[in-house]
Amino acid sequence: MINKKKKPTVVEPEKGEPTGVKVGYRDIDIEWIAPDFKLDELTDCFGQYKSREGVIQIQNSLGGQEKANTLLHEVLHACVYGSGLNQANGALKEDDNEEIVVNQITNYLMGVFRDNDWFLDYLKKHIKKP
């Protein structure tokens, strides 16, 4: 008997949680999910980007730092996909290479954001100025 994993259960997002993000040319839905750790897919990671469906799924029970890190991580996967870096001749064509690069950049960016309180506010203040 084949043990097929079932899809995780999509739940209502908590108040204030995002339900979508624009990455490049795409509008990507954000689904908050509650996996069943015995039967579901997405139980060995905190989130995933499904490029064909245009959706990022994130476990709803994560704490603040893990939730923020996971969202940034999955957005970076969407950037890799949208830019073609993981295509046949792309620099990140191997899944393992993509995961390593995305994970390291995410972790370092989160460190920059966390350790420099002014940084995100500075970007927001200046990002639309000519």
Side-chain angles (χ1 to χ4, degrees), residues 7-22:
K7 292 186 181 207
T9 303
V10 177
V11 297
E12 285 294 316
E14 292 181 18
K15 184 177 180 182
E17 296 293 5
T19 57
V21 62
K22 187 173 185 312

Side-chain angles (χ1 to χ4, degrees), residues 48-62:
Q48 65 182 347
Y49 170 57
K50 294 180 152 190
S51 59
R52 290 184 188 263
E53 292 90 346
V55 66
I56 289 172
Q57 293 180 321
I58 300 175
Q59 290 190 22
N60 69 324
S61 61
L62 298 176

Side-chain angles (χ1 to χ4, degrees), residues 13-32:
E14 292 181 18
K15 184 177 180 182
E17 296 293 5
T19 57
V21 62
K22 187 173 185 312
V23 178
Y25 69 93
R26 282 191 93 175
D27 294 320
I28 298 171
D29 293 329
I30 298 173
E31 293 180 347
W32 299 93

Side-chain angles (χ1 to χ4, degrees), residues 40-51:
D40 289 344
E41 66 177 351
L42 196 62
T43 55
D44 57 345
C45 56
F46 292 152
Q48 65 182 347
Y49 170 57
K50 294 180 152 190
S51 59

